[in-house]
């Protein structure tokens, strides 16, 4: 069973930063597109950022452009999401995903890490 492990979530005040990490189980994922999907209470899981296996191509949802940065370290099998200028509406469980099927579907998912932004 492939398992991605997210970490770095927590409680932060609005305007503050937080960095999430997603550890993949092995070097196989160094060749996979990876992404982050937050799921807010009462809402569907939504795409916010993805990164190609080389790190050369990234995509962001419009509401996080300029605030969030996705990056990866393939030597450590880890993907990061640096979140700055956080807003209360960023509050969600953030899921890491690997091996893209289409824009909203990936083959492998983590258990999620809670991010809470207080106003």
């Amino acid at each position: 069973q492939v398992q991605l492990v997210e970490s770095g979530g927590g409680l932060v005040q609005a305007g503050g930063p937080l960095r999430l990490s997603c550890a993949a189980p092995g070097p196989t994922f160094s060749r996979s597109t990876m992404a982050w999907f937050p799921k807010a209470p009462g809402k569907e899981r939504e795409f916010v950022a993805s990164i190609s296996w080389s790190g050369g191509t990234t995509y962001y949802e419009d509401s996080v452009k300029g605030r969030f940065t996705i990056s990866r370290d393939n030597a450590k099998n880890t993907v990061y999401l640096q979140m700055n200028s956080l807003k209360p509406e960023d509050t969600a469980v953030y899921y890491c995903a690997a091996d893209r099927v289409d824009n909203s579907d990936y083959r492998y998912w983590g258990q999620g890490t809670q991010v809470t932004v207080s106003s």
Side-chain angles (χ1 to χ4, degrees), residues 55-71:
T57 301
T58 57
Y59 292 102
Y60 297 94
E61 195 273 331
D62 286 346
S63 68
V64 306
K65 286 180 180 177
R67 299 192 299 123
F68 290 11
T69 302
I70 189 170
S71 62

Side-chain angles (χ1 to χ4, degrees), residues 46-60:
E46 297 180 341
F47 166 87
V48 288
S50 67
I51 187 167
S52 63
W53 70 269
S54 68
T57 301
T58 57
Y59 292 102
Y60 297 94

Side-chain angles (χ1 to χ4, degrees), residues 73-109:
D73 184 340
N74 287 339
K76 297 181 179 180
N77 301 319
T78 301
V79 173
Y80 305 97
L81 186 67
Q82 177 67 45
M83 304 185 293
N84 297 327
S85 303
L86 281 162
K87 304 175 181 180
E89 51 264 42
D90 294 320
T91 295
V93 177
Y94 282 70
Y95 294 90
C96 174
D99 200 4
R100 180 180 178 275
V101 176
D102 58 38
N103 286 347
S104 61
D105 192 18
Y106 284 65
R107 287 190 175 85
Y108 306 108
W109 295 86

